[in-house]
């Protein structure tokens, strides 16, 4: 028999399969990836650097959807806002991956390059070096929390027919289906306004 035109296993197929498992089950294992691809576990390990390597492939795959070009926008606060929105959209598409990625160190070169770009943008905008990573970490907390909120059941609060919390019931009804998006928009606006106070005196708006 001739050799197949495409390999039975490669990093792209392994990443796709791992992400499918995470989306379905919240986690993956190398044996489950192998079983779904009809391969042996040892064959999967031949293409990746163990479980940690697959986690970083997942991180790269999801972060490919983040538009790092938004960091070139002017002024700096628009750049940060647009980046946050793109970041949220990328992870809202795969919310079950958030706990997995949030508890492992970032090693993927392309993802690190995007962080480097964000750091340079903040420094150029007049932020002090000691404040840069706290700003990015706080922004990530806001973004990833909101991405998880988008994946939460609707409604998240299950009230009995004869609820002893009538005001909560009224507030939930009045909030409407867009409440998660509105909450994110308000929180992001407030966040950007707060971090603006950290910039060096005399810094321009770029």
């Amino acid at each position: 028999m001739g050799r197949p035109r495409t390999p039975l296993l490669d990093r792209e197929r392994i990443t796709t399969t791992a992400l499918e498992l995470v989306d379905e089950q919240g986690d993956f294992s190398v044996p489950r990836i192998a079983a779904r691809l009809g391969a042996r576990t040892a064959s999967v390990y031949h293409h990746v650097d163990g479980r940690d390597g697959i986690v970083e492939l997942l991180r790269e795959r999801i972060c490919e959807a983040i538009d790092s070009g938004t960091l070139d926008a002017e002024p700096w606060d628009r750049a940060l806002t647009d980046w946050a929105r793109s970041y949220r959209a990328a992870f809202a598409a795969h919310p079950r991956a958030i706990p997995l990625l949030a508890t492992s160190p970032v090693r993927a070169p392309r993802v690190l390059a995007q962080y480097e770009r964000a750091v340079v943008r903040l420094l150029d905008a007049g932020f002090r070096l000691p404040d840069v990573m706290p700003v990015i970490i706080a922004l990530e907390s806001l973004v990833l929390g909101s991405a998880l909120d988008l994946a939460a059941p609707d409604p998240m609060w299950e009230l009995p027919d004869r609820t002893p919390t009538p005001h909560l019931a009224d507030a939930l009804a009045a909030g409407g289906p867009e409440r998660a998006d509105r909450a994110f928009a308000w929180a992001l606006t407030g966040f950007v306004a707060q971090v603006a106070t950290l910039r060096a005196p005399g810094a321009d708006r770029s």
Side-chain angles (χ1 to χ4, degrees):
M1 293 179 64
R3 296 180 62 185
R5 292 189 177 185
T6 57
L8 295 177
L9 283 179
D10 58 32
R11 290 162 68 91
E12 288 296 312
R13 291 191 69 202
I14 291 168
T15 305
T16 297
T17 304
L19 188 55
E20 289 172 354
L21 287 168
V22 170
D23 286 343
E24 295 166 8
Q25 304 170 18
D27 202 354
F28 73 91
S29 71
V30 177
R32 278 186 285 172
I33 292 173
R36 184 162 291 195
L37 290 173
R40 296 189 301 175
T41 300
S43 298
V44 175
Y45 279 115
H46 179 72
H47 293 273
V48 297
D49 185 17
R51 178 181 170 85
D52 289 345
I54 296 174
V55 169
E56 286 310 287
L57 290 172
L58 290 173
R59 194 189 307 277
E60 281 194 329
R61 173 68 65 83
I62 294 172
C63 288
E64 283 176 359
I66 303 174
D67 182 6
S68 60
T70 55
L71 291 167
D72 295 329
E74 297 290 350
W76 72 270
D77 49 356
R78 177 186 166 193
L80 200 62
T81 298
D82 289 350
W83 188 53
R85 288 173 177 157
S86 182
Y87 199 144
R88 176 183 182 244
F91 277 87
H94 305 283
R96 302 189 78 174
I98 293 173
L100 180 66
L101 299 182
T103 54
S104 65
V106 181
R107 300 186 182 93
R110 284 185 289 182
V111 179
L112 291 172
Q114 188 164 159
Y115 279 106
E116 174 75 5
R117 194 168 179 176
V119 167
V120 171
R121 188 67 178 89
L122 291 172
L123 291 173
D124 289 346
F127 286 88
R128 297 170 55 249
L129 184 60
D131 293 331
V132 167
M133 288 312 299
V135 168
I136 291 175
I137 292 168
L139 181 66
E140 285 190 322
S141 296
L142 170 61
V143 165
L144 297 179
S146 182
L148 284 171
D149 191 30
L150 286 173
D154 190 23
M156 186 66 182
W157 295 263
E158 294 186 358
L159 307 182
D161 291 338
R162 294 183 179 181
T163 176
T165 54
H167 295 91
L168 173 59
D170 291 344
L172 286 171
E178 304 295 324
R179 60 177 176 263
D181 290 332
R182 291 166 63 201
F184 176 69
W186 293 341
L188 183 58
T189 298
F191 170 80
V192 172
Q194 176 61 34
V195 300
T197 66
L198 301 174
R199 298 172 72 216
D204 60 31
R205 276 186 51 79
S206 63

